Amino acid sequence: MPTIGIKRDLLFKTLGKKYTDDEFRNLCFDFGLELDEVTTEKQMIAKETGQESSSGASEEIIYKIDIPANRYDLLCLEGLSVALLIFQNKLEPPTYKAAFPKDKSKIQKLIMTESTQKIRPYAVAAVLRGVKFTQDSYASFIDLQDKLHHNIARKRTLVAIGTHDLDTIQGPFTYDALPPDQIKFQALNTDKERTATELMELFSSHAQLKQYLHIIRDSPVYPVIKDSNGVVLSMPPIINGHHSRITLDTKNIFIECTATDLTKAIVVLDTLVCAFSMYCTAQYQAEVVEIIRPDKSVEKYPKLAYRKEVVATKKVNKYIGINEGSDHLANLLNKMCLKSRVCGGEIVVEIPPSRHDILHPVDIYEDVAIAFGYNNILKTLPKTSTIGYQEPLNKLTEQLREQIAQAGFTEALTFSLCSRDDVAAKLGKDIATLPAVHIANPKTLEFQVARTSLLPGLFKTIAANKNMPLPHRLFEISDVVLRDSDTEVGARNERHFCAVNYNKSPGFEVIHGLLDRFMQLLNIPFNPDTGYCLRAHDDSTYFPQRCAEVVV
């Protein structure tokens, strides 16, 4: 769940009313949000650095508000304030419009080349005309782009946003993909022109940009957007050009989004345009840009498309547990920025381009519930009676844990994810032969696969506690994850038991004794025919002739 920080006084000015902290917290709760923290810039810096902040830090009150991950329209002051004003019936939902310039021959064009299909095959764009920025709205514009990059754009892997001062560049624009040595420009906030190769080296130690370099670093071509004079606007998804940078004096903004996912790109563009078109001369209006694809087909963006959903009054009431008339339900939806009208026993709901989170009728039901007020829904007893009980496997596991602990072993709880080396090379195994579930985009080398054995976790626990007195007697009863093509998700969990005795002497009798106790608890006798026995076994994890398998 993303958290946004908004200046309290600026927010209250936009809302046209001053609130106490408790009053605003209640307003957020009624709207389905949470006021997470009331702080200041100085306190935030001190919290992050662990030191007192510099004297330049502001003492202005900042509200930190938790926003649902799918409500991209609320990630900035502009979107949040408009939504809250509509919720309080102080503002009518705006009508967003994609317009053409008066002279259609002056429509901006973005021409894509064939080579872009090798790296980032989609692009969308829009123009905001007559924008009037203040210092606060300018900062909000930049911050919304950053929030979108980290949220729906998945750290720029799916979508990268570029915003440019249209008055400093000349269309038509070209979206191309070139070898890095053929790209040369002055990147934003740098002192001179550099090739793309030099920029990648320069940004390899940059605090913010280094996390995006991997997206294109190994590609033979890098994406680049130029104007008709060859001026580089951006090298997505890394950096914009210095020449077309946005400033407080910018009046006309050219927005381009390159992407590997067209749907996400449209959502990002619509979100930006809907939030900041309020500052345009023609309010809530954006100018269309023609995207000319490599196959010469033409698409016009932004779409700013409205669509209609029809929901039944009876079903809305049933899902939420209320009994309200169609007119009242329609009014509740209007408060949530969803223009609605009654048609018979149904409600026709108009979904604006700012509400890409509405994917299904249940999303509309949820907005009705929020506007009605969760606390206003009458509490009732469930219509069915059920008896809860503990999962048998979990109950058995808890009983075994208690008995093994009483046998002198200490329980360890280790991570379910580990490195490939932990479950393979360090145990003498080949990772290709293991039924391991691999993480597609691991955050660290320590979390590459789901564990197929509990042994690596116990070994790592022992390695981290070498300074503790011997013996170390550890155990763990937890799930491992094994690849299984017969299951719906392609993997299954399996409950395993592992114990380790670490001492100056081998202590085979300690482990054997624990095994006997374990089997005794399970009522399995030591008998090759009717119970369990040990059998010599060779396993690459263990010394030769120092391994036995338990046969049941």
Side-chain angles (χ1 to χ4, degrees):
M1 181 177 286
T3 301
I4 60 171
I6 294 181
K7 294 178 179 178
R8 181 195 64 182
D9 295 344
L10 182 62
L11 177 61
F12 289 174
K13 180 181 177 182
T14 310
L15 294 177
K17 180 182 176 181
K18 291 184 178 181
Y19 297 84
T20 65
D21 291 346
D22 286 339
E23 287 173 341
F24 187 73
R25 184 175 280 107
N26 291 334
L27 174 61
C28 285
F29 179 81
D30 291 341
F31 189 59
L33 307 179
E34 182 180 355
L35 178 58
D36 182 56
E37 186 181 2
V38 180
T39 184
T40 66
E41 183 181 338
K42 181 175 282 190
Q43 290 172 344
M44 289 168 61
I45 294 174
K47 187 175 181 179
E48 290 173 4
T49 62
Q51 301 174 349
E52 287 298 320
S53 60
S54 61
S55 56
S58 171
E59 290 282 5
E60 191 170 359
I61 301 297
I62 294 175
Y63 280 167
K64 301 193 78 173
I65 304 169
D66 287 339
I67 306 294
N70 62 342
R71 289 300 301 268
Y72 316 116
D73 57 312
L74 303 179
L75 290 173
C76 61
L77 168 69
E78 289 71 18
L80 178 64
S81 59
V82 167
L84 289 175
L85 287 170
I86 294 170
F87 181 71
Q88 298 175 88
N89 295 316
K90 295 180 179 179
L91 182 71
E92 285 294 313
T95 300
Y96 302 102
K97 184 180 178 182
F100 289 88
K102 291 181 180 179
D103 184 354
K104 288 193 176 182
S105 65
K106 293 185 178 180
I107 188 171
Q108 296 295 340
K109 296 179 175 64
L110 179 62
I111 303 166
M112 299 177 63
T113 66
E114 185 65 37
S115 56
T116 57
Q117 305 306 294
K118 301 176 184 177
I119 184 162
R120 296 178 80 80
Y122 303 107
V124 297
V127 172
L128 295 179
R129 292 279 185 186
V131 177
K132 294 181 180 179
F133 273 140
T134 64
Q135 184 64 54
D136 289 317
S137 60
Y138 172 79
S140 181
F141 185 62
I142 302 302
D143 187 58
L144 177 59
Q145 294 175 56
D146 188 54
K147 289 284 194 300
L148 292 171
H149 274 148
H150 278 79
N151 189 356
I152 185 174
R154 295 293 186 271
K155 294 192 174 180
R156 305 191 189 182
T157 55
L158 300 181
V159 185
I161 308 165
T163 53
H164 314 278
D165 188 333
L166 186 59
D167 296 328
T168 65
I169 48 183
Q170 183 67 44
F173 306 102
T174 302
Y175 173 36
D176 203 353
L178 302 170
D181 290 335
Q182 294 182 24
I183 301 172
K184 188 173 184 179
F185 68 105
Q186 183 181 356
L188 187 65
N189 299 327
T190 60
D191 55 352
K192 63 178 182 179
E193 286 191 349
R194 291 179 173 86
T195 65
T197 305
E198 292 170 337
L199 287 172
M200 296 293 272
E201 183 64 30
L202 176 67
F203 295 141
S204 62
S205 56
H206 192 281
Q208 285 79 39
L209 296 180
K210 65 181 180 181
Q211 62 183 312
Y212 308 121
L213 302 186
H214 71 92
I215 302 173
I216 62 170
R217 186 192 289 277
D218 297 328
S219 173
V221 292
Y222 289 1
V224 62
I225 297 178
K226 298 181 180 181
D227 75 350
S228 59
N229 296 320
V231 174
V232 173
L233 278 64
S234 65
M235 185 178 73
I238 309 302
I239 191 74
N240 289 343
H242 187 75
H243 179 85
S244 60
R245 67 192 181 280
I246 299 285
T247 67
L248 275 174
D249 299 324
T250 297
K251 301 300 179 188
N252 301 307
I253 303 174
F254 177 67
I255 305 171
E256 43 85 4
C257 300
T258 58
T260 57
D261 185 319
L262 181 58
T263 301
K264 297 288 194 298
I266 292 171
V267 173
V268 167
L269 185 67
D270 283 355
T271 302
L272 264 175
V273 166
C274 290
F276 287 90
S277 56
M278 65 186 299
Y279 297 122
C280 293
T281 303
Q283 219 175 15
Y284 302 117
Q285 184 170 300
E287 189 177 299
V288 166
V289 175
E290 286 187 351
I291 307 296
I292 304 173
R293 294 188 56 79
D295 61 2
K296 305 306 178 185
S297 63
V298 178
E299 286 285 347
K300 297 178 178 64
Y301 295 99
K303 298 290 187 184
L304 297 181
Y306 284 79
R307 61 185 175 87
K308 286 183 170 62
E309 288 279 354
V310 179
V311 295
T313 300
K314 186 177 180 181
K315 188 170 282 189
V316 174
N317 283 321
K318 180 181 177 182
Y319 267 75
I320 301 172
I322 57 179
N323 186 23
E324 300 295 322
S326 299
D327 290 332
H328 187 211
L329 294 179
N331 289 333
L332 292 176
L333 286 169
N334 285 327
K335 292 176 64 176
M336 301 302 291
C337 308
L338 301 175
K339 289 183 181 178
S340 304
R341 59 184 175 84
V342 178
C343 184
E346 296 180 325
I347 303 170
V348 180
V349 184
E350 187 178 61
I351 314 298
S354 58
R355 291 298 306 275
H356 283 281
D357 59 297
I358 304 294
L359 304 176
H360 187 276
V362 295
D363 297 316
I364 298 174
Y365 306 158
E366 181 187 22
D367 272 13
V368 172
I370 291 171
F372 184 80
Y374 287 129
N375 287 341
N376 296 326
I377 299 173
L378 186 66
K379 296 178 182 178
T380 59
L381 290 172
K383 292 181 173 60
T384 57
S385 179
T386 60
I387 299 174
Y389 65 92
Q390 192 173 14
E391 179 72 24
L393 178 61
N394 290 338
K395 182 177 181 180
L396 175 64
T397 300
E398 292 296 332
Q399 292 171 330
L400 290 172
R401 282 174 176 151
E402 182 180 354
Q403 292 296 318
I404 296 165
Q406 289 179 8
F409 281 72
T410 301
E411 184 176 13
L413 294 174
T414 60
F415 290 118
S416 297
L417 300 180
C418 59
S419 70
R420 295 188 185 96
D421 284 347
D422 286 343
V423 295
K426 292 179 181 179
L427 298 184
K429 309 284 187 184
D430 181 359
I431 189 66
T433 65
L434 295 176
V437 176
H438 295 255
I439 308 303
N441 184 25
K443 290 290 185 185
T444 72
L445 294 177
E446 290 295 307
F447 300 136
Q448 295 174 314
V449 296
R451 63 186 177 189
T452 57
S453 168
L454 300 180
L455 197 56
L458 294 186
F459 281 166
K460 292 173 80 170
T461 303
I462 289 172
N465 290 276
K466 287 182 178 178
N467 59 332
M468 299 298 288
L470 298 178
H472 291 178
R473 292 177 179 173
L474 303 178
F475 80 95
E476 182 170 10
I477 308 180
S478 295
D479 284 352
V480 299
V481 182
L482 304 176
R483 199 168 61 244
D484 187 346
S485 58
D486 293 334
T487 63
E488 184 179 355
V489 296
R492 73 176 193 277
N493 282 21
E494 216 174 64
R495 188 66 49 87
H496 279 207
F497 166 48
C498 184
V500 173
N501 177 55
Y502 174 64
N503 204 351
K504 294 178 181 179
S505 58
F508 176 74
E509 70 281 356
V510 175
I511 286 295
H512 195 175
L514 180 66
L515 174 64
D516 287 343
R517 175 58 178 155
F518 186 81
M519 291 300 188
Q520 183 186 48
L521 292 167
L522 296 177
N523 201 26
I524 301 174
F526 185 76
N527 186 308
D529 299 323
T530 60
Y532 78 99
C533 65
L534 299 183
R535 183 170 63 196
H537 181 65
D538 282 328
D539 188 302
S540 56
T541 300
Y542 302 90
F543 290 134
Q545 299 181 356
R546 293 293 186 273
C547 175
E549 58 184 6
V550 182
V551 182
V552 180

